[in-house]
Amino acid sequence: MSAFWHDFGALFAFALVASITPGPNNTMLAASGLNHGFRRTLPHMLGVAVGFVFMVGLVGIGLGSVFDRLPALYQVLKYVSAAYLLWLAWKIATAAGGGGAAGAGRPIGFFQAAGFQWVNPKAWIIAIGVVSAYTPREDFLVNLAIASAICGVVTVPAVSLWAGFGSAMRRFLSRPAVLRGFNLAMALLLVASLYPLVQEAVR
């Protein structure tokens, strides 16, 4: 057990901080919890966790090296990510609330949330960090499986807090004008999450 904590203790801390801090996933989950309730947001939460675990595994196996060989593909992914996040921000900002949607009239589903990880800049940064900085090189595939599992175990309660926060706010944001304000604030946070991409583009 001491060897396990020596190898992966820092990963627990990194994964917790990375998964619980504001970002596209958590902003969307808070908005979904508010607009649809905690129970209807469960597929979204599980999709985030499973999709991210799958991403960490594939990045570790070698997907990250594809971008080293094809840097243009990485640039395309960045712009697709930015466009998709802006579209999601618009959907959240215009959500009706109280059964309206943070995306097309219904909660985001499991597969949509899992697929979203591949256009989520924060997820890419975290996944690459997990593999490059927190996965021991010896017995790499075994350690990669453990690291991926740790990310899943930490992500589920972290994203649940954000969905729970949004759901808890329903009773306080029953007035349409206040609800629209909350959705607009979540949309602006989602747009603000694009700042690292914009900063990199203007360098």
Side-chain angles (χ1 to χ4, degrees):
M1 181 62 72
S2 60
F4 176 86
W5 283 109
H6 177 270
D7 291 337
F8 295 106
L11 173 58
F12 269 102
F14 173 76
L16 177 62
V17 172
S19 60
I20 207 169
T21 50
N25 280 323
N26 291 334
T27 301
M28 291 162 58
L29 284 164
S32 181
L34 173 69
N35 289 291
H36 306 293
F38 188 85
R39 181 177 299 179
R40 295 186 67 199
T41 304
L42 280 171
H44 187 169
M45 291 185 282
L46 293 176
V48 168
V50 173
F52 181 65
V53 167
F54 190 62
M55 169 184 271
V56 171
L58 287 185
V59 168
I61 290 171
L63 185 59
S65 64
V66 173
F67 294 121
D68 293 332
R69 296 194 299 269
L70 299 171
L73 182 60
Y74 178 69
Q75 294 298 322
V76 170
L77 179 65
K78 285 200 304 183
Y79 291 120
V80 170
S81 302
Y84 188 57
L85 286 171
L86 288 173
W87 179 80
L88 286 171
W90 178 77
K91 297 298 288 183
I92 291 173
T94 57
R106 61 181 181 273
I108 290 176
F110 175 87
F111 291 106
Q112 188 178 359
F116 173 70
Q117 304 318 302
W118 298 96
V119 293
N120 180 356
K122 183 182 178 184
W124 275 105
I125 293 169
I126 297 171
I128 292 171
V130 167
V131 172
S132 62
Y134 296 99
T135 304
R137 302 297 102 181
E138 186 178 353
D139 296 324
F140 179 72
L141 290 180
V142 174
N143 288 327
L144 177 63
I146 295 173
S148 299
I150 289 172
C151 289
V153 168
V154 172
T155 298
V156 170
V159 298
S160 297
L161 285 175
W162 282 86
F165 166 74
S167 181
M169 294 299 291
R170 289 169 69 107
R171 69 183 68 180
F172 303 107
L173 301 177
S174 56
R175 294 168 53 190
V178 179
L179 181 56
R180 284 195 298 271
F182 180 87
N183 283 334
L184 180 59
M186 293 297 100
L188 290 175
L189 281 175
L190 196 56
V191 172
S193 71
L194 290 171
Y195 175 73
L197 292 182
V198 175
Q199 190 177 42
E200 183 177 343
V202 300
R203 284 176 182 172

